[in-house]
Amino acid sequence: MEIFGDYTLRLVAFGSAVLGATSGVLGSFAYLRRQSLLGDAVSHAALPGIALAFMLTSSKMPLVMVVGAAFAGWLAALVMGVIVSRSRVPFDSALGMVLAVFFGFGLVLLTHLQKRPDAAQAGLDSFLFGQAASLLRRDVVTMSILGVGALIIVVVMWKEFKLLSFDPEFAASLGMPVRKLDGLLTVLLVLAIVIGLQTVGVVLMSAMIVAPAAAARQWSLRLAPMVAIAAGIGSFSGVVGSVVSAVVPKLPTGPTIVVVLSVVVMASLVGAPDRGLLWRWFRRGSIRRSADLDPILMHLFALSMQHRDDPEHGHSVAVLRTMSPADTDVTVALEKLADRGLALRTDDGLWAPTPIGRREARRRVERESECRS
């Protein structure tokens, strides 16, 4: 209670919670669209915008810094889009080039600013790794207004963003302005990044975009719960990281938040139901203990090998019965395989092995061939 009675800690914890929630929500869409590294490029590209904003205004007001960072981040995203659409350079190469050029330019500007008489008052080097302890009330207010505004836009445009994330071609066929929606989502992602630069810094901000969404994806297969879980994970990590950095002397807040977030991601990857490593290990053990299911699984695998172009091509129960002993209950065995994630029933009532089932069958074939040799 004495710790939470500290005004600075409450301010930092609240600002980190707002940052975590905003990053988790918008990072989920970037994660699903396979644009997670876009946050890395935008966060690094925001550095020259911060430096230029200070050079032009000689002010370190939060709104001025946010506007400069947002403009530079938006410009970096625009340059990447132009490079990918107008040339044969792939997205990852364009991202790497833009990140290096903008970040290098930002470091040059910071070096130049250090030679100015007001360099001590600038304190712009804190944006590299963040300095959450320097957050003021006005900083948190600005973060909260921008973060809540971004979340409201997400709620209003939920259906459009959802369709854009999963099936942009279908969205275009419905007449939706896909390019404008994509640009709006990119702008919101840039906004989520720039409000956290003073807390986490340009170097670690990409973790706030990627990690909550990656952890939440392990706990849910639906978009709405995933976004809610990502927001909760981001807020939880921000608050816990702030408290831990306040308890342990000389422990920076930004890196501590990222470490807490990494622990949550690792726990999710290991212990999440259905998708966690422990769950898969237990399920694989139960599979290996079910020897009666081996013949049916191997039959499905053998049939799938006849359709290499379409490994999920379905086969009827009658075909599997002809390949199995007379006393085998093929239907029950198939249902058990489906419960264990090794087989699936197609829309037309046929059966096919899942990717996990094919890997398990292939592993058994390789093991048997090694024993024979």
Side-chain angles (χ1 to χ4, degrees):
M1 295 302 298
E2 292 180 357
I3 294 176
F4 283 101
D6 187 281
Y7 174 77
T8 303
L9 175 59
R10 293 202 309 269
L11 203 63
V12 172
F14 182 77
S16 301
V18 171
L19 169 63
T22 307
S23 302
V25 171
L26 294 170
S28 298
F29 291 99
Y31 178 86
L32 293 173
R33 299 171 67 205
R34 299 184 179 181
Q35 294 182 348
S36 299
L37 290 180
L38 179 63
D40 193 19
V42 171
S43 62
H44 283 73
L47 185 61
I50 294 172
L52 286 174
F54 179 79
M55 293 174 65
L56 294 175
T57 63
S58 298
S59 172
K60 201 185 170 187
M61 291 289 292
L63 188 58
V64 174
M65 298 291 101
V66 166
V67 170
F71 177 77
W74 172 80
L75 183 62
L78 181 63
V79 170
M80 281 188 289
V82 171
I83 293 175
V84 173
S85 61
R86 302 292 179 86
S87 68
R88 296 183 178 181
V89 178
F91 177 78
D92 55 346
S93 300
L95 186 147
M97 291 188 297
V98 171
L99 185 152
V101 172
F102 274 72
F103 188 63
F105 182 53
L107 292 178
V108 171
L109 292 178
L110 284 183
T111 304
H112 171 70
L113 286 174
Q114 296 302 318
K115 301 178 182 179
R116 291 177 44 163
D118 56 351
Q121 288 77 23
L124 299 183
D125 54 346
S126 63
F127 285 93
L128 285 174
F129 297 100
Q131 192 172 355
S134 64
L135 284 176
L136 302 176
R137 181 183 179 86
R138 65 185 184 185
D139 301 329
V140 177
V141 170
T142 302
M143 292 171 57
S144 302
I145 293 175
L146 295 176
V148 172
L151 296 181
I152 291 175
I153 295 176
V154 170
V155 172
V156 174
M157 304 294 294
W158 177 262
K159 293 182 180 179
E160 289 78 4
F161 287 162
K162 181 178 181 179
L163 192 56
L164 180 67
S165 300
F166 289 101
D167 199 342
E169 291 80 9
F170 181 64
S173 67
L174 294 178
M176 291 185 179
V178 174
R179 298 188 65 178
K180 292 182 179 180
L181 290 173
D182 181 75
L184 177 60
L185 200 53
T186 301
V187 170
L188 293 178
L189 182 64
V190 171
L191 190 63
I193 291 170
V194 299
I195 65 175
L197 293 180
Q198 189 173 353
T199 304
V200 181
V202 300
V203 177
L204 300 176
M205 186 58 209
S206 58
M208 297 296 296
I209 297 295
V210 179
R217 185 67 177 87
Q218 308 304 314
W219 295 94
S220 178
L221 299 177
R222 299 179 58 192
L223 179 61
M226 174 186 170
V227 171
I229 294 172
I233 290 175
S235 299
F236 171 80
S237 302
V239 173
V240 173
S242 302
V243 173
V244 172
S245 65
V247 173
V248 181
K250 297 182 179 180
L251 193 64
T253 304
T256 305
I257 293 174
V258 174
V259 170
V260 173
L261 192 54
S262 301
V263 173
V264 175
V265 172
M266 292 301 299
S268 301
L269 292 174
V270 173
D274 294 333
R275 299 173 64 89
L277 297 178
L278 282 178
W279 177 271
R280 292 184 180 182
W281 182 75
F282 284 122
R283 185 170 61 184
R284 186 173 298 170
S286 65
I287 292 170
R288 291 172 178 171
R289 290 191 295 269
S290 303
D292 57 321
L293 302 181
D294 286 358
I296 306 300
L297 177 61
M298 300 308 295
H299 294 333
L300 282 174
F301 177 69
L303 292 172
S304 68
M305 295 298 292
Q306 299 176 8
H307 302 273
R308 293 182 181 272
D309 296 336
D310 185 16
E312 294 188 358
H313 180 80
H315 300 276
S316 64
V317 177
V319 173
L320 294 169
R321 284 200 182 102
T322 59
M323 301 173 65
S324 306
D327 58 345
T328 303
D329 194 337
V330 177
T331 303
V332 174
L334 288 171
E335 292 176 353
K336 290 182 178 180
L337 288 173
D339 293 338
R340 289 166 171 77
L342 297 177
L344 58 88
R345 179 179 293 182
T346 61
D347 295 335
D348 50 2
L350 303 179
W351 288 89
T354 63
I356 297 177
R358 291 195 296 273
R359 286 198 299 268
E360 182 65 23
R362 188 177 292 108
R363 187 181 298 110
R364 296 184 185 187
V365 171
E366 294 174 352
R367 186 165 58 245
E368 290 179 2
S369 53
E370 290 177 358
C371 294
R372 292 175 182 175
S373 61

